[in-house]
Amino acid sequence: MGFLVIKCGGSIMEDMPQAFYEDIVALKQSGEWSPIIVHGGGPLITSLLAKLDIKTEFAGGLRITSNEVLDVAEMALSGLANKQLVRNIGIAGGRAIGISGTDGGLLEARPAENAGMLGFVGEVSNVQTSIIEHLVEGGFIPVISPIGMDGTGQRYNINGDTAAAAVAASLGANLCFISDIPGILVEKEGEKVKLDAATPAEIDGLIASGQIWGGMIPKVRAAVNALNFGVREAAIMNGLEPGSLLSYARGEIQGTKIIVEQEAIHGN
């Protein structure tokens, strides 16, 4: 049985069809895969900050996280977003346990390199995999919010992609980034085609040539960074398409796989 870490971005959580959660439950029931969800919630954090009239500042496109902002981030991530996912899995017939990275020291954290500018933004220094393994063995689907904590009890807001990569690497798991696009799209002979696979070097070339641009850049960067964490394979796929996760789990071509090397770029 293999672990499959599924990263759900906060920007598409509201649009996820119930079929997506049914597919996650089907994966669990297959006995071949143990799905683990790591989620974000940036838009929800922004919305709550606005409702509470708390000023949000950004540096280099990243949110500056004071203790006040961190309180709201924890409310949004470990509360609203986390329990929404747990409820949807329950509706689909599964048993999910929502857990914060602070629970049991699941995600041990340290300040990120740019913490001096960004405040309480962290990165994962260690994952207590035994917590995840116990939940999985108990028949549950873990749903993890990316708030970490250090040995002094200081909390840190951790980028969801980074947290998912750290969890996947610690478990030797495959990692799927769920998006609202079918994968990496490039132009060939005047038409948009999806790449079935790409290496980090190939992705760098596509970014440099402008084939990968805009909002796709952070997605592919997150996948490449996952490989740097030690994840053997990361994939970007469309979570709005029913059956996409099951197709990937069966080994069929689904989305775009980001791999260390091996196969060359090719499209459908």
Side-chain angles (χ1 to χ4, degrees), residues 224-260:
V224 169
N225 287 338
L227 299 185
N228 295 333
F229 270 85
V231 175
R232 58 186 179 184
E233 176 184 294
I236 298 172
M237 68 176 62
N238 186 357
L240 306 182
E241 179 184 340
S244 58
L245 270 175
L246 297 180
S247 176
Y248 172 84
R250 290 193 295 266
E252 299 170 4
I253 294 175
Q254 186 61 236
T256 301
K257 291 182 181 180
I258 314 300
I259 53 178
V260 177

Short mmCIF file of all heavy atoms in Angstrom, two decimals, residues 224-260:
data_model
loop_
_atom_site.label_atom_id
_atom_site.label_comp_id
_atom_site.label_asym_id
_atom_site.label_seq_id
_atom_site.Cartn_x
_atom_site.Cartn_y
_atom_site.Cartn_z
N VAL A 224 8.58 21.17 -8.61
CA VAL A 224 10.04 20.98 -8.69
C VAL A 224 10.64 20.98 -7.29
O VAL A 224 11.51 20.16 -6.97
CB VAL A 224 10.67 22.08 -9.57
CG1 VAL A 224 12.20 22.06 -9.43
CG2 VAL A 224 10.28 21.89 -11.02
N ASN A 225 10.18 21.91 -6.44
CA ASN A 225 10.70 21.96 -5.08
C ASN A 225 10.39 20.67 -4.32
O ASN A 225 11.16 20.25 -3.45
CB ASN A 225 10.10 23.16 -4.34
CG ASN A 225 10.69 24.47 -4.80
OD1 ASN A 225 11.78 24.52 -5.36
ND2 ASN A 225 9.95 25.56 -4.60
N ALA A 226 9.26 20.05 -4.64
CA ALA A 226 8.91 18.78 -4.00
C ALA A 226 9.96 17.72 -4.30
O ALA A 226 10.34 16.92 -3.44
CB ALA A 226 7.54 18.31 -4.46
N LEU A 227 10.46 17.72 -5.55
CA LEU A 227 11.52 16.77 -5.90
C LEU A 227 12.77 17.06 -5.08
O LEU A 227 13.49 16.14 -4.68
CB LEU A 227 11.83 16.85 -7.39
CG LEU A 227 10.70 16.53 -8.37
CD1 LEU A 227 11.22 16.53 -9.80
CD2 LEU A 227 10.05 15.18 -8.05
N ASN A 228 13.04 18.34 -4.83
CA ASN A 228 14.21 18.71 -4.03
C ASN A 228 14.07 18.23 -2.59
O ASN A 228 15.07 18.00 -1.92
CB ASN A 228 14.40 20.24 -4.05
CG ASN A 228 14.74 20.77 -5.44
OD1 ASN A 228 15.31 20.04 -6.27
ND2 ASN A 228 14.40 22.01 -5.72
N PHE A 229 12.83 18.08 -2.13
CA PHE A 229 12.59 17.55 -0.78
C PHE A 229 12.83 16.03 -0.74
O PHE A 229 12.92 15.44 0.32
CB PHE A 229 11.14 17.82 -0.36
CG PHE A 229 10.94 19.12 0.37
CD1 PHE A 229 10.75 20.30 -0.33
CD2 PHE A 229 10.95 19.17 1.74
CE1 PHE A 229 10.53 21.51 0.33
CE2 PHE A 229 10.76 20.37 2.43
CZ PHE A 229 10.55 21.54 1.71
N GLY A 230 12.88 15.41 -1.89
CA GLY A 230 13.07 13.96 -1.95
C GLY A 230 11.84 13.22 -2.43
O GLY A 230 11.84 11.98 -2.44
N VAL A 231 10.78 13.94 -2.83
CA VAL A 231 9.61 13.28 -3.41
C VAL A 231 10.00 12.68 -4.75
O VAL A 231 10.63 13.34 -5.58
CB VAL A 231 8.45 14.29 -3.58
CG1 VAL A 231 7.27 13.65 -4.29
CG2 VAL A 231 8.02 14.84 -2.24
N ARG A 232 9.64 11.42 -4.99
CA ARG A 232 10.09 10.75 -6.21
C ARG A 232 9.31 11.18 -7.44
O ARG A 232 9.82 11.13 -8.56
CB ARG A 232 9.99 9.24 -6.04
CG ARG A 232 8.58 8.74 -5.71
CD ARG A 232 8.56 7.25 -5.41
NE ARG A 232 7.21 6.81 -5.06
CZ ARG A 232 6.95 5.56 -4.69
NH1 ARG A 232 7.90 4.68 -4.61
NH2 ARG A 232 5.71 5.22 -4.39
N GLU A 233 8.07 11.60 -7.22
CA GLU A 233 7.24 11.99 -8.36
C GLU A 233 6.16 12.95 -7.89
O GLU A 233 5.50 12.71 -6.89
CB GLU A 233 6.59 10.76 -8.98
CG GLU A 233 5.62 11.07 -10.12
CD GLU A 233 4.95 9.81 -10.63
OE1 GLU A 233 5.65 8.96 -11.20
OE2 GLU A 233 3.73 9.66 -10.43
N ALA A 234 6.03 14.06 -8.60
CA ALA A 234 4.96 15.01 -8.31
C ALA A 234 4.14 15.21 -9.57
O ALA A 234 4.68 15.17 -10.68
CB ALA A 234 5.53 16.34 -7.82
N ALA A 235 2.85 15.42 -9.42
CA ALA A 235 1.98 15.60 -10.57
C ALA A 235 1.08 16.79 -10.36
O ALA A 235 0.65 17.08 -9.24
CB ALA A 235 1.13 14.35 -10.81
N ILE A 236 0.80 17.50 -11.45
CA ILE A 236 -0.17 18.59 -11.45
C ILE A 236 -1.36 18.12 -12.27
O ILE A 236 -1.20 17.70 -13.43
CB ILE A 236 0.43 19.87 -12.09
CG1 ILE A 236 1.64 20.34 -11.26
CG2 ILE A 236 -0.61 20.97 -12.17
CD1 ILE A 236 2.41 21.46 -11.92
N MET A 237 -2.54 18.14 -11.67
CA MET A 237 -3.70 17.62 -12.39
C MET A 237 -4.96 18.41 -12.06
O MET A 237 -5.01 19.17 -11.10
CB MET A 237 -3.91 16.14 -12.07
CG MET A 237 -4.33 15.86 -10.66
SD MET A 237 -4.66 14.10 -10.41
CE MET A 237 -3.05 13.41 -10.75
N ASN A 238 -5.97 18.19 -12.87
CA ASN A 238 -7.24 18.88 -12.73
C ASN A 238 -8.14 18.13 -11.75
O ASN A 238 -8.64 17.05 -12.05
CB ASN A 238 -7.93 18.99 -14.10
CG ASN A 238 -9.20 19.83 -14.05
OD1 ASN A 238 -9.62 20.28 -13.00
ND2 ASN A 238 -9.81 20.04 -15.20
N GLY A 239 -8.34 18.74 -10.57
CA GLY A 239 -9.19 18.10 -9.58
C GLY A 239 -10.67 18.28 -9.84
O GLY A 239 -11.50 17.66 -9.18
N LEU A 240 -11.01 19.15 -10.80
CA LEU A 240 -12.41 19.36 -11.13
C LEU A 240 -12.94 18.31 -12.09
O LEU A 240 -14.15 18.23 -12.34
CB LEU A 240 -12.60 20.75 -11.76
CG LEU A 240 -12.07 21.93 -10.94
CD1 LEU A 240 -12.35 23.24 -11.65
CD2 LEU A 240 -12.67 21.95 -9.53
N GLU A 241 -12.05 17.49 -12.62
CA GLU A 241 -12.43 16.44 -13.56
C GLU A 241 -12.66 15.13 -12.81
O GLU A 241 -11.72 14.55 -12.26
CB GLU A 241 -11.34 16.25 -14.62
CG GLU A 241 -11.63 15.17 -15.64
CD GLU A 241 -10.49 14.96 -16.61
OE1 GLU A 241 -9.64 15.86 -16.75
OE2 GLU A 241 -10.43 13.87 -17.21
N PRO A 242 -13.89 14.63 -12.75
CA PRO A 242 -14.16 13.39 -12.02
C PRO A 242 -13.30 12.24 -12.54
O PRO A 242 -13.10 12.08 -13.73
CB PRO A 242 -15.65 13.13 -12.31
CG PRO A 242 -16.21 14.48 -12.61
CD PRO A 242 -15.11 15.21 -13.33
N GLY A 243 -12.77 11.46 -11.60
CA GLY A 243 -11.99 10.29 -11.97
C GLY A 243 -10.52 10.55 -12.20
O GLY A 243 -9.76 9.59 -12.41
N SER A 244 -10.07 11.81 -12.16
CA SER A 244 -8.67 12.09 -12.46
C SER A 244 -7.73 11.45 -11.44
O SER A 244 -6.69 10.89 -11.82
CB SER A 244 -8.43 13.60 -12.52
OG SER A 244 -8.78 14.23 -11.31
N LEU A 245 -8.09 11.50 -10.17
CA LEU A 245 -7.23 10.89 -9.15
C LEU A 245 -7.18 9.37 -9.30
O LEU A 245 -6.11 8.77 -9.16
CB LEU A 245 -7.75 11.25 -7.75
CG LEU A 245 -7.20 12.51 -7.09
CD1 LEU A 245 -7.91 12.75 -5.78
CD2 LEU A 245 -5.70 12.42 -6.88
N LEU A 246 -8.32 8.77 -9.57
CA LEU A 246 -8.36 7.32 -9.74
C LEU A 246 -7.55 6.89 -10.96
O LEU A 246 -6.87 5.87 -10.94
CB LEU A 246 -9.81 6.84 -9.86
CG LEU A 246 -10.71 7.09 -8.64
CD1 LEU A 246 -12.11 6.58 -8.90
CD2 LEU A 246 -10.12 6.41 -7.41
N SER A 247 -7.64 7.67 -12.02
CA SER A 247 -6.87 7.39 -13.23
C SER A 247 -5.38 7.45 -12.93
O SER A 247 -4.61 6.57 -13.34
CB SER A 247 -7.24 8.38 -14.33
OG SER A 247 -6.45 8.18 -15.48
N TYR A 248 -4.96 8.48 -12.20
CA TYR A 248 -3.54 8.60 -11.82
C TYR A 248 -3.11 7.40 -10.98
O TYR A 248 -2.04 6.84 -11.19
CB TYR A 248 -3.33 9.90 -11.05
CG TYR A 248 -1.96 10.02 -10.45
CD1 TYR A 248 -0.88 10.48 -11.21
CD2 TYR A 248 -1.72 9.66 -9.12
CE1 TYR A 248 0.39 10.58 -10.66
CE2 TYR A 248 -0.45 9.75 -8.57
CZ TYR A 248 0.60 10.21 -9.35
OH TYR A 248 1.86 10.29 -8.80
N ALA A 249 -3.94 7.02 -10.01
CA ALA A 249 -3.60 5.92 -9.11
C ALA A 249 -3.46 4.60 -9.86
O ALA A 249 -2.70 3.72 -9.44
CB ALA A 249 -4.66 5.79 -8.02
N ARG A 250 -4.18 4.46 -10.98
CA ARG A 250 -4.06 3.24 -11.79
C ARG A 250 -2.83 3.26 -12.69
O ARG A 250 -2.58 2.29 -13.42
CB ARG A 250 -5.32 3.07 -12.66
CG ARG A 250 -6.58 2.72 -11.88
CD ARG A 250 -7.70 2.26 -12.81
NE ARG A 250 -8.13 3.34 -13.69
CZ ARG A 250 -9.16 4.15 -13.42
NH1 ARG A 250 -9.85 4.00 -12.30
NH2 ARG A 250 -9.50 5.11 -14.26
N GLY A 251 -2.09 4.34 -12.66
CA GLY A 251 -0.89 4.43 -13.49
C GLY A 251 -1.14 4.96 -14.88
O GLY A 251 -0.24 4.94 -15.73
N GLU A 252 -2.35 5.43 -15.12
CA GLU A 252 -2.66 5.98 -16.44
C GLU A 252 -2.12 7.40 -16.55
O GLU A 252 -1.84 8.06 -15.55
CB GLU A 252 -4.18 5.98 -16.66
CG GLU A 252 -4.78 4.58 -16.60
CD GLU A 252 -6.30 4.59 -16.57
OE1 GLU A 252 -6.89 5.69 -16.68
OE2 GLU A 252 -6.91 3.52 -16.40
N ILE A 253 -1.96 7.88 -17.77
CA ILE A 253 -1.48 9.24 -17.98
C ILE A 253 -2.55 10.21 -17.51
O ILE A 253 -3.68 10.20 -17.98
CB ILE A 253 -1.14 9.48 -19.47
CG1 ILE A 253 0.05 8.62 -19.89
CG2 ILE A 253 -0.83 10.96 -19.71
CD1 ILE A 253 0.38 8.71 -21.36
N GLN A 254 -2.19 11.04 -16.57
CA GLN A 254 -3.13 11.99 -16.00
C GLN A 254 -2.37 13.23 -15.55
O GLN A 254 -1.40 13.13 -14.79
CB GLN A 254 -3.87 11.38 -14.81
CG GLN A 254 -4.97 12.23 -14.24
CD GLN A 254 -6.07 12.52 -15.24
OE1 GLN A 254 -6.39 13.67 -15.51
NE2 GLN A 254 -6.63 11.47 -15.80
N GLY A 255 -2.75 14.38 -16.02
CA GLY A 255 -2.04 15.59 -15.67
C GLY A 255 -0.63 15.59 -16.23
O GLY A 255 -0.33 14.92 -17.23
N THR A 256 0.25 16.31 -15.56
CA THR A 256 1.66 16.36 -15.94
C THR A 256 2.49 15.88 -14.77
O THR A 256 2.39 16.42 -13.66
CB THR A 256 2.09 17.80 -16.30
OG1 THR A 256 1.30 18.27 -17.39
CG2 THR A 256 3.56 17.81 -16.71
N LYS A 257 3.31 14.86 -15.01
CA LYS A 257 4.21 14.38 -13.97
C LYS A 257 5.52 15.16 -14.04
O LYS A 257 6.07 15.38 -15.11
CB LYS A 257 4.51 12.89 -14.17
CG LYS A 257 3.33 11.97 -13.91
CD LYS A 257 3.74 10.52 -14.08
CE LYS A 257 2.57 9.57 -13.83
NZ LYS A 257 2.96 8.16 -14.00
N ILE A 258 6.00 15.59 -12.89
CA ILE A 258 7.30 16.23 -12.79
C ILE A 258 8.24 15.18 -12.22
O ILE A 258 8.05 14.70 -11.10
CB ILE A 258 7.26 17.47 -11.86
CG1 ILE A 258 6.05 18.35 -12.18
CG2 ILE A 258 8.56 18.24 -11.98
CD1 ILE A 258 6.01 18.88 -13.58
N ILE A 259 9.23 14.82 -13.02
CA ILE A 259 10.12 13.72 -12.64
C ILE A 259 11.57 14.18 -12.70
O ILE A 259 11.90 15.16 -13.37
CB ILE A 259 9.92 12.51 -13.58
CG1 ILE A 259 10.06 12.96 -15.04
CG2 ILE A 259 8.56 11.86 -13.35
CD1 ILE A 259 9.94 11.84 -16.04
N VAL A 260 12.43 13.48 -11.99
CA VAL A 260 13.83 13.88 -11.91
C VAL A 260 14.49 13.82 -13.27
O VAL A 260 15.19 14.73 -13.70
CB VAL A 260 14.59 13.03 -10.89
CG1 VAL A 260 16.06 13.40 -10.87
CG2 VAL A 260 13.98 13.19 -9.50
#
